[in-house]
């Protein structure tokens, strides 16, 4: 049976409190039987709590669009979660000190110049894009050691914590061919191309529009969509620094303070 409204509200409140207090939260699936539809209902309830605090939704994140991330986390399908204005960082800023166990992955971000809804294809997505940009997603799960099922992760907003918005990317017409090098504390550790995100970064957006339509929602002009990690995520420990360089020239970076 689907979770009741009260159960959904209680779980969303518990997740929010765990994140606020920087304490672990046992995976919901360890005690509750629930499905992906329930998980998105919990996610929406959690978003309502954010909006009540004065945050506003500015876009969406796609999770597990790459084989590297699905393999790392033992997930077999993509998901999505909302991004709010307080999640956005400029390049070279430090992540919030309130994060619990942050990890970082390089992504290609898209900013829409016009809305997208209904049935769309890759060409429709690209025609709606006003800008592509280099970015880093900072994920931060409330579940200890990132041990969760797909439904747990979805309920927690796909672990969305912060997004480092970097400079524009020049090759809007060939996003799948853009290469990226991920550096951790000055050492090159991973390489990939834009095609790691479902074959093309815009492919995930097509899927996102379809999923949002099921919830009677759509993408608005001005929304940003980060299209999924291109490599495995790397831990960002206190004093650590992660950067990604796209096409050998476009750099985006983030750090974590020691204190």
């Amino acid at each position: 049976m689907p979770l009741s409204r009260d159960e959904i509200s209680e779980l969303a409140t518990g997740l929010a409190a765990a994140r606020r207090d920087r304490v672990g939260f046992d995976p919901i699936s360890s005690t509750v039987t629930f499905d992906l539809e329930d998980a998105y209902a919990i996610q929406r309830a959690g978003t309502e709590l954010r909006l009540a605090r004065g945050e506003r939704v500015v876009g969406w994140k796609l999770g597990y669009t790459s084989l590297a991330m699905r393999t790392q986390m033992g997930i077999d399908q993509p998901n999505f979660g909302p991004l709010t204005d307080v999640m956005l960082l400029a390049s070279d800023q430090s992540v919030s000190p309130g994060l619990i166990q942050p990890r970082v992955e390089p992504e290609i971000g898209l900013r829409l110049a016009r809305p997208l809804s209904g049935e769309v294809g890759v060409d429709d997505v690209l025609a709606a894009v006003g800008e592509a940009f280099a970015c880093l997603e900072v994920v931060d799960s409330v579940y200890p050691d990132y041990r969760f099922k797909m439904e747990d992760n979805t309920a927690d907003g796909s672990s969305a914590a912060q997004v480092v918005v970097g400079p524009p990317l020049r090759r809007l017409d060939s996003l799948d061919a853009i290469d990226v090098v991920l550096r951790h504390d000055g050492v090159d550790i991973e390489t990939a191309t834009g095609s790691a995100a479902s074959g093309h970064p815009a492919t995930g957006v097509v899927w996102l529009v379809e999923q949002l339509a099921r919830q009677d929602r759509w993408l608005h002009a001005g929304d940003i969509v980060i299209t999924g990690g291109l490599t495995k995520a790397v831990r960002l420990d206190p004093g650590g620094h992660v950067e990604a360089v796209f096409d050998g020239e476009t750099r985006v970076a983030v750090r974590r303070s020691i204190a």
Side-chain angles (χ1 to χ4, degrees):
M1 291 181 61
L3 297 180
S4 69
R5 183 175 300 180
D6 286 345
E7 289 172 320
I8 289 168
S9 177
E10 181 179 352
L11 289 166
T13 299
L15 288 169
R19 191 168 293 283
R20 179 196 64 215
D21 298 336
R22 300 184 68 200
V23 297
F25 192 91
D26 289 337
I28 298 169
S29 61
S30 65
T31 57
V32 176
T33 299
F34 73 122
D35 60 19
L36 202 53
E37 186 173 344
D38 290 323
Y40 278 114
I42 297 167
Q43 182 189 112
R44 291 193 297 274
T47 302
E48 289 300 320
L49 294 174
R50 289 180 175 273
L51 297 179
R53 294 198 300 266
E55 298 180 36
R56 60 185 179 86
V57 174
V58 296
W60 302 89
K61 69 151 289 182
L62 292 168
Y64 310 109
T65 60
S66 73
L67 178 61
M69 283 302 301
R70 290 194 296 272
T71 300
Q72 182 181 19
M73 302 309 301
I75 298 293
D76 63 359
Q77 60 182 300
N79 67 0
F80 67 91
L83 302 175
T84 72
D85 56 328
V86 302
M87 296 181 180
L88 304 185
L89 296 174
S91 186
D92 290 306
Q93 285 189 315
S94 295
V95 299
S96 166
L99 299 189
I100 304 169
Q101 47 182 350
R103 296 181 180 181
V104 181
E105 55 202 57
E107 306 199 13
I108 291 174
L110 304 175
R111 192 184 310 274
L112 299 183
R114 59 175 185 262
L116 282 170
S117 62
E119 295 186 8
V120 301
V122 167
D123 289 342
D124 300 308
V125 171
L126 294 175
V129 171
E131 176 186 71
F133 56 90
C135 72
L136 295 170
E137 183 184 7
V138 182
V139 294
D140 187 38
S141 179
V142 297
Y143 306 117
D145 300 319
Y146 282 79
R147 294 178 180 174
F148 48 66
K149 293 183 178 180
M150 179 67 168
E151 292 81 4
D152 299 307
N153 176 254
T154 300
D156 188 35
S158 189
S159 299
Q162 297 192 282
V163 178
V164 187
V165 179
L169 295 169
R170 297 184 182 183
R171 291 204 285 162
L172 185 57
D173 59 342
S174 54
L175 294 177
D176 55 331
I178 289 176
D179 62 75
V180 60
V181 176
L182 183 67
R183 293 175 181 155
H184 185 207
D185 295 332
V187 178
D188 293 359
I189 59 168
E190 296 272 357
T191 61
T193 65
S195 63
S198 300
H200 192 292
T203 301
V205 183
V206 172
W207 176 84
L208 175 62
V209 173
E210 294 173 351
Q211 301 306 306
L212 290 175
R214 295 179 181 179
Q215 302 177 8
D216 197 28
R217 296 193 283 185
W218 59 91
L219 295 177
H220 301 267
D223 278 354
I224 65 172
V225 179
I226 58 174
T227 55
L230 301 175
T231 70
K232 294 180 180 179
V234 62
R235 284 175 47 175
L236 184 59
D237 294 321
H241 178 264
V242 176
E243 70 175 355
V245 180
F246 292 76
D247 271 350
E249 62 178 5
T250 305
R251 173 186 171 277
V252 58
V254 70
R255 62 187 69 250
R256 186 180 182 188
S257 300
I258 294 177

